[in-house]
Amino acid sequence: MTDHSCAQGPVGRRTPPRPRRPSETRKLSWKGQSVFVTIGYRDDHLTPCEIFYDSGYRSGSDMEVLVSDLCIALSVMLQHPGVTAEGLGKSMSERVELRTGAVGPASILGLLLYEIARPPAWSADLKAARRGGSSKKHAGGQQ
């Protein structure tokens, strides 16, 4: 017989992302190592629904596997109703840089959650377009 004393009840139905969706690749830095991840967004172009590890760590290394698995777990979590990067991020540990006093994530998981919660580069332009206003000029001088 299985002990279900810690069970929290049924989890909401997963809402997988569409096959084609907007995404943004970002360069992160963790303990002096550059790491690249891609964040996928829902149809509103602002709600993150997945994160993928792209590159940065040596192929086959423990860190490459760890970050890739963390991204998979975060993606699955984000595809369930009520789960947000902000909500998960609030539970993560932080560290204080002694020289500067800057507060930041204590683990690479916290860094991934911070990046997922950060709006995409196009968010200001998209919000302005939805309001019917003009947005700042894009690179290349085009609007």
Side-chain angles (χ1 to χ4, degrees), residues 24 26 41 44-47 117-131 135-136 138:
E24 179 179 57
R26 297 182 184 172
Y41 294 88
D44 67 0
H45 295 217
L46 295 173
T47 305
R118 194 167 59 85
W122 62 78
S123 64
D125 291 340
L126 183 61
K127 288 176 183 177
R130 288 180 179 168
R131 284 192 308 266
S135 63
K136 62 184 177 186
H138 296 277

Side-chain angles (χ1 to χ4, degrees), residues 2-123:
T2 306
D3 177 18
H4 295 286
S5 59
C6 292
Q8 295 181 10
V11 175
R13 181 176 290 273
R14 177 177 168 256
T15 307
R18 299 183 101 174
R20 299 184 67 81
R21 58 206 159 276
S23 64
E24 179 179 57
T25 299
R26 297 182 184 172
K27 179 181 178 181
L28 317 179
S29 179
W30 181 252
K31 296 191 177 190
Q33 176 71 45
S34 293
V35 179
F36 293 86
V37 296
T38 299
I39 300 170
Y41 294 88
R42 295 223 177 266
D43 290 339
D44 67 0
H45 295 217
L46 295 173
T47 305
C49 61
E50 63 189 350
I51 182 170
F52 294 102
Y53 167 79
D54 288 331
S55 63
Y57 291 106
R58 186 175 49 83
S59 180
S61 70
D62 288 347
M63 281 303 291
E64 180 191 52
V65 173
L66 174 64
V67 174
S68 181
D69 282 354
L70 287 171
C71 288
I72 291 166
L74 289 172
S75 295
V76 171
M77 286 183 227
L78 290 172
Q79 294 169 18
H80 283 83
V83 178
T84 64
E86 294 88 356
L88 290 169
K90 289 178 182 176
S91 299
M92 298 294 121
S93 298
E94 295 179 328
R95 65 176 170 81
V96 177
E97 175 61 47
L98 295 177
R99 286 178 285 178
T100 64
V103 178
S107 70
I108 194 153
L109 175 58
L111 177 63
L112 294 171
L113 284 165
Y114 171 81
E115 284 301 320
I116 295 169
R118 194 167 59 85
W122 62 78
S123 64

